[in-house]
Coordinates of all heavy atoms in Angstrom, one line a residue:
G1 N -14.2 -0.2 114.0 CA -13.6 -0.5 112.8 C -13.5 0.8 111.9 O -14.1 1.8 112.2
L2 N -12.8 0.7 110.8 CA -12.6 1.8 109.9 C -13.9 2.2 109.2 O -14.1 3.3 108.7 CB -11.6 1.4 108.8 CG -10.1 1.3 109.3 CD1 -9.3 0.6 108.3 CD2 -9.6 2.7 109.6
D3 N -14.9 1.3 109.2 CA -16.2 1.6 108.6 C -16.9 2.8 109.3 O -17.8 3.4 108.7 CB -17.1 0.4 108.7 CG -16.8 -0.6 107.6 OD1 -16.0 -0.3 106.7 OD2 -17.4 -1.7 107.6
C4 N -16.6 3.1 110.5 CA -17.2 4.2 111.2 C -16.9 5.5 110.5 O -17.6 6.6 110.7 CB -16.9 4.2 112.7 SG -15.2 4.8 113.1
L5 N -15.8 5.6 109.7 CA -15.4 6.8 109.1 C -16.1 7.1 107.8 O -16.0 8.3 107.3 CB -13.9 6.7 108.8 CG -12.9 6.4 109.9 CD1 -11.5 6.3 109.4 CD2 -13.0 7.5 111.0
T6 N -16.8 6.2 107.3 CA -17.5 6.4 106.0 C -18.9 6.1 106.0 O -19.4 5.3 106.8 CB -16.8 5.6 104.9 OG1 -16.8 4.2 105.3 CG2 -15.3 6.0 104.7
E7 N -19.7 6.6 105.0 CA -21.1 6.4 105.0 C -21.5 5.0 104.4 O -22.6 4.5 104.6 CB -21.8 7.5 104.1 CG -21.6 8.9 104.7 CD -22.3 10.0 103.9 OE1 -23.0 9.6 102.9 OE2 -22.0 11.2 104.1
W8 N -20.6 4.4 103.6 CA -20.9 3.1 103.0 C -19.6 2.3 103.1 O -18.5 2.8 103.3 CB -21.3 3.3 101.6 CG -20.5 4.2 100.8 CD1 -19.3 3.9 100.2 CD2 -20.8 5.5 100.4 NE1 -18.8 4.9 99.5 CE2 -19.7 6.0 99.6 CE3 -21.9 6.4 100.7 CZ2 -19.7 7.3 99.1 CZ3 -21.8 7.7 100.2 CH2 -20.7 8.1 99.4
P9 N -19.7 1.0 102.9 CA -18.5 0.1 103.1 C -17.5 0.4 102.0 O -17.8 0.5 100.8 CB -19.1 -1.3 102.9 CG -20.6 -1.2 103.1 CD -20.9 0.2 102.7
M10 N -16.3 0.6 102.5 CA -15.1 0.9 101.6 C -14.1 -0.2 101.8 O -13.8 -0.6 102.9 CB -14.5 2.3 101.9 CG -15.5 3.4 101.7 SD -16.0 3.7 100.0 CE -14.4 4.4 99.4
G11 N -13.4 -0.6 100.7 CA -12.4 -1.7 100.8 C -11.0 -1.2 100.7 O -10.1 -2.0 100.7
D12 N -10.8 0.1 100.7 CA -9.4 0.6 100.4 C -8.9 1.5 101.6 O -8.0 2.3 101.4 CB -9.4 1.4 99.1 CG -10.4 2.6 99.1 OD1 -11.1 2.8 100.1 OD2 -10.5 3.3 98.1
L13 N -9.4 1.3 102.8 CA -8.9 2.0 103.9 C -8.0 1.1 104.7 O -8.2 -0.1 104.9 CB -10.1 2.5 104.8 CG -11.2 3.3 104.2 CD1 -12.2 3.7 105.2 CD2 -10.6 4.5 103.5
V14 N -6.9 1.7 105.3 CA -5.9 1.0 106.1 C -5.7 1.7 107.4 O -5.7 3.0 107.4 CB -4.6 0.9 105.3 CG1 -3.6 0.1 106.1 CG2 -4.8 0.2 103.9
N15 N -5.6 1.0 108.4 CA -5.4 1.6 109.8 C -4.2 2.4 109.9 O -3.2 2.2 109.2 CB -5.4 0.5 110.8 CG -6.0 1.0 112.1 OD1 -6.7 2.0 112.2 ND2 -5.6 0.4 113.2
F16 N -4.2 3.4 110.7 CA -3.1 4.4 110.9 C -3.0 4.7 112.4 O -3.9 4.3 113.2 CB -3.4 5.7 110.1 CG -4.8 6.3 110.5 CD1 -4.9 7.1 111.5 CD2 -5.9 5.9 109.8 CE1 -6.2 7.7 111.9 CE2 -7.2 6.4 110.1 CZ -7.3 7.3 111.2
R17 N -2.0 5.4 112.8 CA -1.8 5.8 114.2 C -2.4 7.2 114.3 O -2.4 8.0 113.4 CB -0.4 5.8 114.6 CG 0.3 4.5 114.4 CD 1.7 4.5 115.0 NE 2.6 5.5 114.3 CZ 3.8 5.8 114.7 NH1 4.3 5.3 115.8 NH2 4.5 6.7 114.1
G18 N -2.8 7.5 115.5 CA -3.2 8.9 115.8 C -2.1 9.9 115.6 O -2.4 11.1 115.3
L19 N -0.9 9.5 115.7 CA 0.2 10.4 115.5 C 0.2 10.9 114.0 O 0.5 12.1 113.8 CB 1.5 9.6 115.8 CG 1.7 9.3 117.3 CD1 2.7 8.1 117.4 CD2 2.2 10.5 118.0
E20 N -0.1 10.0 113.1 CA -0.1 10.4 111.7 C -1.4 11.3 111.4 O -1.3 12.2 110.5 CB 0.0 9.2 110.8 CG 1.4 8.8 110.5 CD 2.0 8.0 111.7 OE1 1.3 7.2 112.3 OE2 3.2 8.3 112.0
L21 N -2.5 11.0 112.0 CA -3.7 11.8 111.9 C -3.4 13.2 112.4 O -3.7 14.2 111.7 CB -4.8 11.2 112.7 CG -6.1 12.0 112.7 CD1 -6.6 12.4 111.4 CD2 -7.2 11.3 113.6
A22 N -2.7 13.3 113.5 CA -2.3 14.7 114.0 C -1.4 15.4 113.0 O -1.5 16.6 112.8 CB -1.7 14.5 115.4
A23 N -0.4 14.6 112.5 CA 0.5 15.2 111.6 C -0.2 15.8 110.3 O 0.2 16.8 109.8 CB 1.6 14.2 111.2
A24 N -1.2 15.0 109.8 CA -1.9 15.5 108.6 C -2.7 16.8 109.0 O -2.7 17.7 108.2 CB -2.8 14.4 108.1
I25 N -3.4 16.8 110.1 CA -4.2 18.0 110.5 C -3.3 19.2 110.6 O -3.6 20.3 110.2 CB -5.0 17.7 111.8 CG1 -6.1 16.7 111.5 CG2 -5.6 19.0 112.3 CD1 -6.8 16.2 112.7
N26 N -2.1 19.0 111.3 CA -1.2 20.1 111.5 C -0.6 20.6 110.2 O -0.1 21.8 110.2 CB -0.1 19.6 112.4 CG -0.5 19.5 113.9 OD1 -1.2 20.3 114.4 ND2 -0.1 18.4 114.6

């Protein structure tokens, strides 16, 4: 789940595709 990305529970994260993650890094 998205909780693996943060140190504590967050309620404002929304799933995304790896394609958009790559686009942001690039």
Side-chain angles (χ1 to χ4, degrees):
L2 291 164
D3 281 353
C4 73
L5 302 178
T6 57
E7 295 180 11
W8 49 77
M10 302 290 289
D12 57 358
L13 304 182
V14 181
N15 209 21
F16 54 89
R17 302 186 301 171
L19 293 156
E20 277 73 44
L21 173 57
I25 292 173
N26 283 320

